[in-house]
């Protein structure tokens, strides 16, 4: 029967590496592992699912793929241990690592039931694993294996243990790790490699770790779902400390690329942490729970409404104000309405309702001379800005997004292999079975179709959106005046709202909110004092471009991925887009660049 199963049924990647170790065990050792497995899974899945199943599947698939690499340490080096005590410890370590690999793999299979197989084995993760497995020099191999299994992977275990993810699993595994052969014992038995050679190997492995694991969209989303962004920062910091400590034992230190990656990631995720702190979960009513269980995303729950906003006071057809001014006023009216009406700030993330403390709006714009590329500029409480400041901010960001788009095109021509990096998150999201959930959008987006002459339109929602507004045609219409009891010509802006009915109530007064909001922000604009345009913009632009090049020089893949994201979405409030670029550049460097270009601008 086993032979028939081997012919008919595919196996998952981790199984071959577990089997390699399993075949080296005695009958008694196999029985010991069987009893430990029975104890671990006596009640079925050994932990409660507190988050969406897909995040657990992606996380434990990664852990299974990485943990089986640890089996290689006792397989390769048990025979080289001369001390009987160390040799016995190494044998026990083999049993532990096989047990850990089996635990993670069985959990993945249980989570994926009733489907036959877990997600496809990650080719990128396997590149890292094979880089270590295929190392022929035992002195180099022991250092690389030890860094991964006893440092990098182990920090995953501690992070999940601290945050109560599968406590029975990680309590057991961490207890096992404490009884394994130490680095000193391994190095004394095997010996240390040439310092220059191992330094190059470690730098290569550091680059693979950042690119093939930490920069993978599916793992970032899964980890952040399970433990939160603050925990990711803590993990990276703890990993960096441990990595330095481990390398210090062989008189080495992390590469510049590694140090840059840790600083960049910490800076990036710190913006998400601040945002997370302003988000609160909303308790669902029985009706909301019913709708969550019955409607598919996003087709079924999409609710569409049409309404008009009276903009007669704006004198649209006189040309007194630009169309851009109208668009920004509507954006501010949306922000004001959201800020004062908490039901407009509700959004859905993985079938749960949340609300933000602040009003986030996303302005959808077509990037100039960038084909069909659309960009979304996310702004927080933009109704608090003067219209002039808002206009400057939007123009500046659109210019930077355009630069990101064109710089990406240039990089893709110079390095065609980069194109696949931008497609990877799309592939993850397109996977119908184990696809990665795209983080929910906490903002209401606004798009402007008025120049196309549409008076009615239905804008589809993406799976991660809860609501969006669309500006349509402005028409002068006869409107009944109840005071004068006669029709009067009024300028009416047609608008459309698309909303997820599970989050947004159909009885909301969106027309009233937008109409009153427009009147208030328009009155505010009329009372604002115009400010002179400063001449520092050229210097700021050059600082931005130099910061981009600094990032690309330090880590091309990381820089390209970030630019790819920023050509689509930009938010200084959600993830500190521009500040992240300055990682590694001190304040003096930035000021010198700024002063140079300001002086240059003033001489023109």
């Amino acid at each position: 029967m086993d032979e028939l199963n081997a012919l008919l049924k595919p196996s998952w990647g981790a199984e071959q590496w577990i089997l390699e170790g399993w075949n080296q065990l005695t009958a008694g050792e196999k029985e010991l592992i069987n009893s430990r497995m029975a104890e671990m899974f006596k009640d079925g899945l050994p932990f409660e699912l507190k988050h969406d199943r897909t995040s657990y599947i992606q996380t434990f698939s990664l852990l299974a793929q990485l943990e089986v690499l640890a089996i290689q340490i006792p397989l390769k080096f048990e025979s080289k241990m001369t001390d009987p005590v160390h040799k016995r410890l190494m044998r026990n370590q083999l049993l532990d690592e096989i047990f850990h690999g089996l635990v993670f793999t069985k959990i993945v299979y249980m989570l994926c039931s009733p489907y036959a197989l877990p997600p496809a084995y990650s080719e990128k993760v396997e590149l890292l694993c094979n880089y270590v497995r295929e190392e022929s020099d035992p002195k180099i191999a022991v250092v690389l294996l030890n860094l991964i299994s006893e440092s990098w992977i182990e920090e995953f275990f501690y992070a999940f243990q601290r945050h109560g993810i599968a406590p029975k699993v990680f309590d057991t595994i961490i207890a096992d790790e404490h009884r394994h052969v130490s680095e000193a014992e391994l190095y004394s038995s095997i010996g240390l490699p040439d310092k220059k050679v191992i330094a190059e190997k470690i730098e290569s492995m550091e680059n693979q770790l950042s690119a093939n694991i930490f920069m993978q969209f599916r793992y970032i989303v899964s980890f952040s779902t399970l433990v939160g962004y603050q925990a990711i920062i803590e993990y990276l910091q703890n990993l960096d400390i441990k990595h330095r400590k481990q390398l210090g034992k062989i008189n080495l230190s992390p590469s510049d690329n590694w140090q840059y990656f840790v600083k960049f990631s910490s800076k990036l995720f710190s913006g998400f942490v601040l945002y997370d702190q302003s988000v609160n979960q909303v308790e669902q009513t029985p009706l909301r729970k019913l709708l969550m269980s019955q409607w598919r995303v996003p087709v079924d729950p999409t609710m569409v409404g049409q309404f008009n906003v009276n903009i007669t006071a704006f004198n649209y057809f006189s040309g007194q104000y630009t169309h851009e001014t109208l668009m920004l006023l509507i954006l501010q009216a949306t922000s004001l309405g959201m800020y004062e009406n908490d039901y407009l700030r509700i959004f859905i993330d993985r079938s749960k309702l949340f609300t933000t403390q602040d009003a986030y709006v996303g302005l959808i714009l077509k990037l100039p001379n960038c084909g069909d590329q659309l960009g979304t500029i996310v702004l927080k409480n933009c109704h608090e800005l003067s219209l002039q400041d808002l206009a400057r901010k939007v123009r500046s960001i659109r210019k930077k997004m355009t630069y990101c788009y064109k710089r990406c095109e240039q990089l893709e021509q110079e390095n065609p292999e980069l194109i696949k990096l931008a497609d990877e998150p799309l592939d993850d999201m397109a996977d119908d079975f184990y696809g990665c959930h795209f983080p929910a959008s906490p903002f209401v987006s606004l798009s402007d179709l008025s120049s196309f002459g549409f008076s009615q339109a239905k804008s589809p929602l993406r799976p991660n959106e809860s609501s969006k507004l669309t500006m349509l045609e402005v028409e002068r219409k006869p409107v009944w005046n109840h005071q004068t009891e006669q029709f009067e010509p009024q300028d009416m802006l047609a608008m459309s709202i698309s909303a997820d009915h599970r989050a947004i109530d159909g009885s909301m007064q969106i027309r009233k909110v937008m109409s009153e909001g427009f009147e208030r922000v328009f009155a505010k604009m009329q009372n604002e004092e115009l400010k002179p345009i400063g001449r520092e913009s050229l210097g700021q632009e050059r600082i931005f471009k130099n910061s981009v090049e600094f990032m690309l020089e330090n880590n091309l893949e990381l820089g390209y991925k970030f630019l790819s994201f920023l050509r689509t979405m930009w938010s200084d409030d959600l993830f500190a887009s521009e500040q992240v670029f300055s990682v590694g550049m001190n304040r003096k460097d930035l000021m010198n660049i700024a002063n140079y270009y300001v002086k240059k601008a003033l001489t023109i």
Side-chain angles (χ1 to χ4, degrees):
M1 190 64 180
D2 289 341
E3 292 180 1
L4 191 59
N5 283 336
L7 288 172
L8 296 178
K9 297 180 181 179
S11 63
W12 196 54
E15 296 173 39
Q16 64 168 314
W17 304 112
I18 295 173
L19 185 61
E20 182 183 12
W22 185 262
N23 289 335
Q24 303 300 315
L25 302 184
T26 65
E29 290 170 334
K30 292 179 181 179
E31 182 58 34
L32 176 61
I33 291 178
N34 279 326
S35 64
R36 294 193 72 187
M37 290 290 289
E39 171 61 26
M40 176 65 73
F41 294 95
K42 64 181 180 181
D43 298 318
L45 190 67
F47 55 88
E48 177 187 357
L49 295 182
K50 299 179 180 179
H51 306 277
D52 71 288
R53 182 178 293 266
T54 303
S55 295
Y56 285 98
I57 290 174
Q58 295 291 354
T59 298
F60 278 94
S61 294
L62 173 64
L63 292 178
Q65 191 170 355
L66 288 174
E67 180 63 9
V68 294
L69 183 62
I71 297 174
Q72 298 297 310
I73 292 180
L75 281 181
K76 287 178 178 287
F77 305 115
E78 180 187 357
S79 61
K80 300 181 184 298
M81 306 299 288
T82 55
D83 188 312
V85 175
H86 294 167
K87 199 175 187 71
R88 186 170 63 254
L89 284 174
M90 188 64 83
R91 188 64 182 181
N92 291 335
Q93 185 170 335
L94 174 62
L95 270 64
D96 285 345
E97 302 298 6
I98 292 174
F99 170 65
H100 300 167
L102 285 168
V103 167
F104 288 141
T105 303
K106 183 164 183 174
I107 286 173
V108 173
Y109 270 104
M110 294 178 75
L111 289 170
C112 293
S113 178
Y115 301 118
L117 286 174
Y121 225 45
S122 171
E123 295 180 4
K124 286 185 171 293
V125 175
E126 202 62 6
L127 283 175
L128 171 64
C129 294
N130 287 335
Y131 178 79
V132 179
R133 287 192 187 103
E134 294 168 3
E135 176 55 55
S136 58
D137 187 332
K139 295 180 180 180
I140 295 176
V142 71
V143 174
L144 299 183
L145 280 166
N146 191 67
L147 278 175
I148 290 183
S149 63
E150 301 303 321
S151 177
W152 297 351
I153 301 177
E154 194 172 293
E155 279 305 314
F156 278 126
F157 302 159
Y158 284 119
F160 292 129
Q161 184 189 50
R162 283 193 297 269
H163 291 84
I165 303 299
K168 180 179 179 180
V169 173
F170 292 108
D171 287 349
T172 300
I173 289 177
I174 288 173
D176 288 348
E177 297 290 338
H178 289 160
R179 64 189 188 190
H180 292 171
V181 176
S182 69
E183 302 93 335
E185 293 162 347
L186 273 172
Y187 297 156
S188 64
S189 298
I190 311 300
L192 288 174
D194 178 82
K195 187 175 180 179
K196 182 179 180 181
V197 174
I198 191 60
E200 293 175 353
K201 293 280 186 177
I202 290 174
E203 181 174 3
S204 176
M205 197 167 68
E206 289 172 342
N207 293 337
Q208 290 191 57
L209 180 70
S210 61
N212 296 341
I213 297 180
F214 295 141
M215 287 166 54
Q216 295 304 302
F217 177 75
R218 70 178 76 173
Y219 302 133
I220 293 174
V221 172
S222 299
F223 295 165
S224 63
T225 299
L226 296 183
V227 299
Y229 291 110
Q230 181 60 46
I232 293 179
I233 295 175
E234 293 170 358
Y235 167 78
L236 288 170
Q237 292 172 343
N238 291 334
L239 176 60
D240 186 46
I241 292 171
K242 192 165 189 177
H243 187 47
R244 291 174 183 274
K245 182 179 178 181
Q246 295 285 82
L247 292 182
K249 295 176 181 179
I250 52 177
N251 298 317
L252 291 174
S253 58
S255 66
D256 291 341
N257 274 355
W258 172 264
Q259 296 177 56
Y260 179 83
F261 170 76
V262 172
K263 290 178 182 177
F264 171 88
S265 301
S266 298
K267 184 74 172 179
L268 176 64
F269 289 123
S270 63
F272 289 118
V273 170
L274 292 175
Y275 160 72
D276 265 354
Q277 293 171 351
S278 70
V279 175
N280 299 304
Q281 188 170 349
V282 177
E283 185 176 354
Q284 295 185 33
T285 63
L287 175 61
R288 299 293 185 196
K289 292 179 181 178
L290 175 65
L291 298 182
M292 288 288 185
S293 66
Q294 296 298 308
W295 278 340
R296 292 179 293 112
V297 179
V299 180
D300 290 343
T302 298
M303 172 182 63
V304 179
Q306 303 278 157
F307 61 96
N308 293 319
V309 176
N310 192 325
I311 62 167
T312 304
F314 184 77
N315 290 325
Y316 181 80
F317 293 105
S318 70
Q320 181 179 357
Y321 302 104
T322 65
H323 183 78
E324 180 191 29
T325 301
L326 175 61
M327 179 181 65
L328 295 178
L329 285 171
I330 293 296
L331 190 71
Q332 287 189 312
T334 305
S335 177
L336 178 61
M338 292 178 66
Y339 190 79
E340 295 183 346
N341 298 274
D342 55 2
Y343 64 85
L344 290 176
R345 301 195 303 273
I346 294 177
F347 65 96
I348 297 177
D349 190 12
R350 297 173 179 84
S351 299
K352 296 179 182 178
L353 293 179
F354 297 90
T355 184
T356 58
Q357 294 177 8
D358 298 291
Y360 292 94
V361 291
L363 180 60
I364 301 175
L365 297 170
K366 194 170 186 295
L367 300 186
N369 303 314
C370 295
D372 61 355
Q373 180 71 19
L374 296 176
T376 301
I377 301 174
V378 182
L379 302 158
K380 182 176 78 171
N381 299 334
C382 71
H383 61 280
E384 296 176 349
L385 296 174
S386 70
L387 193 85
Q388 187 181 30
D389 287 341
L390 177 59
R392 288 174 181 165
K393 187 179 183 72
V394 168
R395 291 169 189 165
S396 174
I397 292 176
R398 179 168 54 187
K399 194 171 185 178
K400 290 168 185 172
M401 294 181 76
T402 301
Y403 176 80
C404 291
Y405 179 88
K406 293 186 178 298
R407 190 68 180 94
C408 279
E409 279 194 324
Q410 183 181 357
L411 289 170
E412 289 165 359
Q413 291 175 357
E414 297 169 354
N415 308 274
E417 68 277 4
L418 291 176
I419 298 176
K420 190 176 180 181
L421 295 179
D423 293 339
E424 286 172 355
L426 304 180
D427 294 337
D428 286 340
M429 288 184 284
D431 187 337
D432 290 336
F433 289 110
Y434 304 118
C436 206
H437 177 87
F438 196 81
S441 297
F443 55 86
V444 174
S445 61
L446 174 69
S447 55
D448 182 8
L449 299 181
S450 56
S451 61
F452 297 100
F454 293 116
S455 58
Q456 294 185 359
K458 175 183 177 180
S459 183
L461 290 176
R462 296 196 307 271
N464 64 322
E465 290 183 309
S466 293
S467 60
K468 64 167 43 174
L469 291 167
T470 305
M471 291 174 59
L472 302 171
E473 188 177 26
V474 178
E475 293 182 289
R476 181 160 291 173
K477 297 180 177 181
V479 178
W480 182 256
N481 187 321
H482 292 282
Q483 293 180 341
T484 62
E485 295 187 347
Q486 59 183 353
F487 285 100
E488 296 177 354
Q490 301 285 304
D491 295 340
M492 309 299 287
L493 169 65
M495 294 195 69
S496 168
I497 180 172
S498 299
D500 190 325
H501 199 10
R502 298 171 301 169
I504 306 298
D505 195 330
S507 64
M508 64 178 178
Q509 299 295 313
I510 186 64
R511 187 197 66 79
K512 181 181 179 182
V513 168
M514 291 300 298
S515 295
E516 292 180 354
F518 178 80
E519 291 176 4
R520 290 168 60 184
V521 297
F522 180 65
K524 173 175 170 286
M525 179 199 75
Q526 290 181 306
N527 293 324
E528 290 171 350
E529 182 180 353
L530 293 179
K531 303 174 185 177
I533 299 177
R535 305 194 68 178
E536 72 280 358
S537 58
L538 179 59
Q540 292 176 342
E541 180 182 338
R542 293 306 305 173
I543 288 175
F544 168 72
K545 291 182 179 180
N546 277 275
S547 299
V548 169
E549 297 310 314
F550 182 82
M551 170 184 280
L552 292 171
E553 183 178 342
N554 275 273
N555 193 316
L556 178 61
E557 287 192 14
L558 183 64
Y560 171 76
K561 279 195 169 186
F562 197 48
L563 287 176
S564 296
F565 180 76
L566 292 182
R567 65 182 172 182
T568 303
M569 180 179 292
W570 187 291
S571 176
D572 289 332
D573 299 305
L574 286 179
F575 45 82
S577 304
E578 190 164 352
Q579 291 87 330
V580 172
F581 281 114
S582 62
V583 169
M585 298 180 72
N586 59 43
R587 183 175 179 82
K588 184 178 179 181
D589 292 335
L590 293 172
M591 290 303 297
N592 286 340
I593 295 173
N595 290 334
Y596 171 78
Y597 286 105
V598 169
K599 290 178 181 178
K600 185 175 180 180
L602 292 174
T603 60
I604 297 176

